[in-house]
Structure formats: C-alpha cells, structure tokens
C-alpha cells in the first residue's frame, strides 16, 4: 500500500533531510532570480519527525494545553494527520496564547505562545524557507540565522568602526516592529521568491490566527507574534527587502564616503565615514519605513558623532564639544577607550538598562525564594550569573561583570536578612556564608585572545 507521505508529497523521500534541504539551497543559490513554486512536497512524515526533534519540549503550552509529552504518545499518528491537513488545506491554525513577561519597573513584554503542534509545523516550514532565503540574505544580517550570532554582529560592528577610525553612527529603533509588520507587503515579498500554494496558505493562516488574551480572541491586521517559531524568519524576509537590499543596492552606490550596516532582527545601526551621507540617509529613512508600514522611534533614533578621539585635533570648538560619543546595540554600550598598549580602540560595556534588568530579576527571585534553603538559593543565583556571563562575558567587559557581582551580593544579603524579623545578616556573617556557598567569579566567555590563540 502506498504510504500517506507518498500520496501527499508525491514521493517516498528516501533522501536524508539534510540532503533534501541542500538541494533546495543549491537550486536557490544557482538561480537567485527564480521564483520557486514547488517546495511543500519536501515536507513528509520524516520531515515533520525531524521538525519535532528540533522543537523544544519544555516550553509553555498553547491554547489547547497540550504538552510535548502528550503529543509524543501517538507521535506517528499525530504527524501523519498533521501532514494530511497541511497538504489538503484543512489545517486550521489555532490562535496563539499571549502572555506578558515581566520586565523591570513594572513593564512587560508580550509573547505569543503557539500550540505544540503548531510549533512543529512552523519548524518544518521554516526549515524549507530557510534553505531558500539563506542564499538571498546579505552578510549585514545576523539575527536568528544559522551559524550567526549576536556576538558576530558585535564583532563586525567594532571591526568596521576600527577600519573607518570611527565616524557617524545612526542608531535606529523601529517602533513595535513585530506588531506592525504589514501582511500585504510580506505576502508580496514572499511572492518574489516563493509561490508554493501550500506554504503560502499555511503562512496566511498563521498571520490571521488571532491572539487569545484574557479569554478573548483578537485578530490584529498587522504583525506576527513574538514567540512564534516562524516569526523571526518572516521578520528577516521583511527587513531584507525594506532595509538590507535597499541600503546595499540603492543607497551605498550614491554615497560620497564609506558606510556599512549591521542588523540583528529589528535592531540595527548604520555607520558612515562622512556626516553628510549620514544626514541624507536620516532624512529619507523614515519615509522608506513609512512606505512599508513601519515607524522609527523619534526619541530612540539619533545620529552620534563616534570619531576616534585622537583624530579630533584641529577641529572646530563645536565639534570638540560633541565628544567621541557612545551608542548601544544588542545590550552593549560602545565607546572609545585605550588598549593595554595605549591605542584608541572600540570598547564595549554592558548597557546600564541591561545591568539593571539583571539585578531586578535576581532581586525578584531572591525576594520570592528567600525562605528556600541557602544551598538551593546559591545554586540558582550562581546559574543566573553564569547565564549573564554567557552573553555579556566579552573581552573588555570584566569590570561590568564584577560590579554586577557586588550588586547581586547586596541584593542576596538584603533578602536573606528579611527571612526573619528579629535577625539581620551582617556583612561579616554574609562573607562567611559566601565562603561556604560561593558565587562564581566573572568569566570572559567570548575572549578575543582565546580566539586569536587558536591554531
């Protein structure tokens, strides 16, 4: 009997998943102008099984309450039924469950949580589309892409600034990008490269699925929920067309000086060697974004003079008063500083708001768990500090990591003192406690010296 996947996909697909995706990538790379119309046939039960393997099993549940463990009880039957509904067009995308993640100072961040089955299918579609669009995306884009990271974006930025010896930095912020992404424009962008009816149909269902919040289902006319598996890829496709290609192919050829763009998802900066070029782009960029339903934040978008201090001699008093400047990207504040040999270099330190956010979150946890056993508290607080170091532990940022430790010590001691109304934990007593339950020292996880030393 012919298998279900053979009926639905038109092939028994004996090839490994990686081979199939490589064939898609090769075709897309060799034919950059080709519109691909048949991609969904690559998705069969084996493909969905691989998507299931790559899907997180411990994440929050969606509107149906189904866990990964429950889905796995009849995994093969569930995947076959999912494939049938996808290929026949009867798949119905359930609304995402919106939750609000607490931030510092009472603020929250809205996150959309799809159902587990939705995550599996979104992962499968993302795998196919990613094989195509990874051949099209430009080197200036780093967010949510295979073999690329925020730290690579930061290194590219500092390396470019050093090559230009500073310049003018356009620090931009897109207001509520994931909530304002225009569906019509996104469909148009997809049509330019992929016109597979099955994939277009299911993406359209996800965009229109709605959001469940406080018992009501809302159907926003724009946006794609943060938290969806496919949302980062759709965001990259959108900004690839709106910003990346436009800047590289239409703006850069007409500039008088040098310039480069570094983008991580919806966070980006553009560096110019000449102020005149920067001001010209700043004048047209809001109009470009407005054309596609986006808006730059008026208070968070600014042009910064980021010139190397040693190159400012002989300039006008007005320019000297501006100073070398600083700006933030991906949680780091970039500034000029002296190297160990006395040269001016671009340095990074943890942005103040990120440090405050980490302290606030640890303080909240210590407050809620102050009556837990000390050993358990030490284990969790230490894990949070190591997690912070895993991202912010970059060369030149040791002092910020050390100051964070001091703040966490104060926070932990304060809430341990509140375990009892009658006893206060003195600093001497707290230091003795740290000898028994030590917190980890700062670690530079991303060291430029270790990278240079590699053979």
């Amino acid at each position: 009997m012919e298998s279900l996947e053979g009926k639905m996909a038109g092939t028994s697909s004996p090839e490994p998943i990686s081979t199939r995706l490589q064939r898609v990538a090769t075709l897309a790379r060799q034919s950059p102008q080709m519109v691909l119309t048949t991609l969904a046939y690559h998705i069969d039960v084996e493909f969905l099984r691989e998507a299931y393997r790559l899907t997180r099993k411990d994440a929050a549940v969606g509107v149906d309450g189904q866990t990964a463990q429950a889905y796995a009880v009849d995994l093969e039957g569930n995947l076959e039924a999912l494939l049938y509904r996808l290929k026949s067009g009867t798949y119905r995308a359930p609304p995402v469950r919106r939750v609000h993640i607490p931030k510092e100072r009472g603020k929250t961040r809205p996150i959309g949580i799809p159902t587990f089955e939705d995550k599996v299918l979104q992962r499968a579609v993302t795998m196919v589309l990613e094989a195509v669009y990874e051949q099209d995306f430009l080197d200036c884009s780093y967010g949510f892409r295979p073999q690329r990271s925020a730290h690579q974006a930061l290194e590219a930025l500092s390396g470019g600034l050093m090559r230009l010896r500073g310049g003018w930095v356009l620090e931009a912020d897109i207001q509520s990008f994931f909530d304002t992404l225009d569906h019509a424009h996104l469909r148009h962008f997809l049509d330019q490269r992929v016109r597979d009816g099955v994939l277009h149909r299911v993406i359209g269902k996800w965009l229109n699925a709605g959001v469940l919040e406080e018992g009501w289902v809302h159907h926003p006319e724009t946006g794609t929920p943060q938290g969806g598996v496919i949302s980062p890829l759709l965001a990259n496709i959108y900004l690839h067309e709106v910003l990346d290609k436009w800047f590289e192919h239409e703006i850069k050829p007409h500039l008088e000086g040098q310039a480069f763009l570094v983008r991580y998802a919806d966070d980006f900066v553009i560096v110019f060697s000449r102020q005149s070029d920067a001001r010209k782009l700043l004048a047209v960029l809001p109009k470009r974004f407005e054309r596609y339903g986006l808006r730059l934040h008026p208070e968070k978008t600014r042009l910064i003079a980021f010139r190397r201090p040693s190159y400012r001699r002989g300039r006008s008093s007005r320019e000297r008063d501006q100073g070398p400047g600083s700006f933030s990207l991906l949680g780091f504040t970039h500034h000029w500083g002296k190297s160990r040999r006395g040269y001016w270099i671009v340095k990074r330190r943890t942005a103040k708001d990120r440090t405050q956010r980490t302290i606030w979150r640890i303080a909240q946890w210590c407050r809620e768990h102050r009556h837990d056993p000390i050993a358990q508290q030490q284990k969790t607080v230490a894990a949070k500090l190591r997690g912070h170091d895993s991202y912010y532990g970059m060369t030149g940022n040791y002092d910020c990591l050390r100051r964070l430790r001091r703040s966490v010590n104060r926070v932990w001691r304060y809430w341990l003192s509140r375990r009892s109304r009658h006893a206060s934990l003195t600093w001497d007593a707290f230091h003795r406690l740290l000898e028994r339950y030590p917190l980890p020292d700062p670690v530079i996880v991303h060291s430029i010296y270790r990278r240079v030393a590699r053979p």
Side-chain angles (χ1 to χ4, degrees):
M1 180 181 293
E2 187 178 5
S3 65
L4 173 64
E5 53 266 46
K7 291 180 180 179
M8 301 307 303
T11 176
S12 58
S13 300
E15 294 178 308
I17 304 301
S18 59
T19 303
R20 274 186 265 174
L21 292 176
Q22 187 58 48
R23 287 201 296 114
V24 173
T26 300
L27 176 62
R29 183 170 55 253
Q30 292 176 347
S31 306
Q33 305 302 321
M34 178 184 292
V35 178
L36 305 176
T37 58
T38 54
L39 291 173
Y41 78 90
H42 290 286
I43 301 177
D44 57 13
V45 171
E46 181 185 359
F47 202 96
L48 290 176
R49 194 181 300 117
E50 176 65 9
Y52 165 82
R53 185 186 69 83
L54 296 174
T55 302
R56 281 187 57 185
K57 311 301 189 296
D58 58 348
V61 298
V63 295
D64 61 355
Q66 187 176 49
T67 64
Q69 292 73 21
Y71 194 82
V73 171
D74 185 19
L75 179 61
E76 294 303 308
N78 287 330
L79 295 181
E80 289 182 0
L82 177 60
L83 178 66
Y84 176 82
R85 285 180 281 134
L86 170 68
K87 298 298 179 69
S88 65
T90 58
Y91 179 80
R92 297 185 62 183
V96 299
R97 182 171 67 90
R98 174 165 288 176
V99 298
H100 291 268
I101 306 300
K103 297 170 59 176
E104 70 282 359
R105 300 178 181 177
K107 298 180 181 180
T108 62
R109 179 187 301 276
I111 299 294
I113 303 175
T115 64
F116 182 77
E117 184 174 70
D118 223 15
K119 294 176 184 177
V120 173
L121 185 55
Q122 287 190 27
R123 175 64 62 192
V125 173
T126 298
M127 289 162 61
V128 174
L129 292 180
E130 206 170 60
V132 175
Y133 282 101
E134 274 301 308
Q135 318 313 312
D136 298 346
F137 289 157
L138 304 181
D139 288 340
C140 59
S141 168
Y142 291 85
F144 304 104
R145 294 181 56 190
Q147 309 303 318
R148 287 187 163 234
S149 68
H151 297 98
Q152 290 176 329
L154 292 167
E155 291 296 338
L157 176 60
S158 60
L161 285 166
M162 290 297 293
R163 285 192 299 272
L164 293 183
R165 296 173 177 168
W168 293 83
V169 176
L170 176 59
E171 181 182 19
D173 181 86
I174 306 176
Q175 277 189 313
S176 304
F177 169 72
F178 282 90
D179 294 330
T180 57
L181 181 149
D182 186 89
H183 294 173
H185 286 303
L186 176 60
R187 293 189 185 97
H188 174 69
F189 295 151
L190 287 168
D191 280 340
Q192 294 179 16
R193 193 62 159 125
V194 175
R195 292 182 190 168
D196 185 292
V198 174
L199 299 186
H200 268 239
R201 184 167 57 235
V202 72
I203 290 174
K205 291 179 178 181
W206 284 325
L207 292 175
N208 298 313
V211 176
L212 176 65
E213 186 174 13
E214 298 180 351
W216 295 89
V217 176
H218 310 277
H219 293 274
E221 297 181 357
T222 60
T224 178
Q226 293 190 62
V229 176
I230 201 170
S231 293
L233 176 60
L234 296 180
N236 272 334
I237 293 171
Y238 203 87
L239 287 177
H240 171 71
E241 297 290 341
V242 174
L243 178 62
D244 301 355
K245 285 175 58 177
W246 174 73
F247 177 75
E248 291 293 331
H249 303 317
E250 297 184 35
I251 297 299
K252 283 182 67 174
H254 297 93
L255 298 179
E256 297 178 3
Q258 301 180 58
F260 67 91
L261 163 70
V262 174
R263 182 177 67 82
Y264 189 94
D266 59 328
D267 293 327
F268 69 94
V269 297
I270 307 178
V271 181
F272 302 85
S273 61
R274 297 177 65 94
Q275 182 184 10
S276 58
D277 288 336
R279 294 199 177 280
K280 288 177 183 177
L281 182 70
L282 184 57
V284 300
L285 187 60
K287 299 176 184 177
R288 171 72 178 182
F289 275 21
E290 185 178 353
R291 176 182 174 186
Y292 294 98
L294 303 177
R295 185 184 178 196
L296 291 174
H297 197 294
E299 297 178 359
K300 297 181 180 179
T301 300
R302 59 191 184 124
L303 190 61
I304 302 106
F306 195 76
R307 297 184 300 274
R308 196 161 71 175
S310 59
Y311 275 73
R312 292 169 51 244
R313 295 176 181 175
R315 296 183 181 270
S316 67
S317 59
R318 180 183 177 186
E319 290 180 314
R320 288 196 298 270
D321 291 341
Q322 290 177 331
S326 65
F327 66 95
S328 295
L329 180 70
L330 298 176
F332 287 90
T333 296
H334 298 73
H335 62 99
W336 288 102
K338 288 290 189 71
S339 69
R340 294 177 180 178
R341 297 183 179 181
Y343 299 110
W344 286 107
I345 60 173
V346 177
K347 289 191 171 185
R348 292 176 293 258
R349 60 174 180 266
T350 310
K352 289 183 179 179
D353 63 328
R354 299 301 180 92
T355 299
Q356 293 170 353
R357 182 187 304 177
T358 299
I359 296 171
W360 180 84
R361 288 176 175 173
I362 293 178
Q364 289 294 105
W365 187 92
C366 290
R367 175 179 179 270
E368 296 169 2
H369 297 268
R370 62 185 181 274
H371 295 295
D372 292 356
I374 301 297
Q376 182 177 331
Q377 292 190 46
Q378 180 268 347
K379 182 178 179 180
T380 301
V381 174
K384 292 180 181 296
L385 288 173
R386 283 192 290 267
H388 183 90
D389 288 356
S390 68
Y391 182 79
Y392 293 100
M394 297 189 73
T395 300
N397 197 36
Y398 188 86
D399 287 344
C400 285
L401 303 182
R402 187 174 55 185
R403 286 194 294 270
L404 175 66
R405 260 57 176 188
R406 292 199 291 265
S407 297
V408 170
N409 283 344
R410 288 193 294 270
V411 164
W412 194 22
R413 172 187 167 273
Y414 175 81
W415 287 112
L416 287 176
S417 297
R418 299 294 296 271
R419 286 159 66 98
S420 171
R421 295 181 180 179
H422 307 291
S424 178
L425 187 65
T426 66
W427 277 108
D428 288 341
F430 180 70
H431 287 143
R432 289 194 297 271
L433 182 144
L434 285 178
E435 291 177 0
R436 185 175 180 183
Y437 302 101
L439 295 179
D441 292 329
V443 177
I444 300 299
V445 178
H446 308 278
S447 171
I448 187 174
Y449 302 109
R450 282 199 296 269
R451 189 165 64 250
V452 170
R454 289 174 186 169

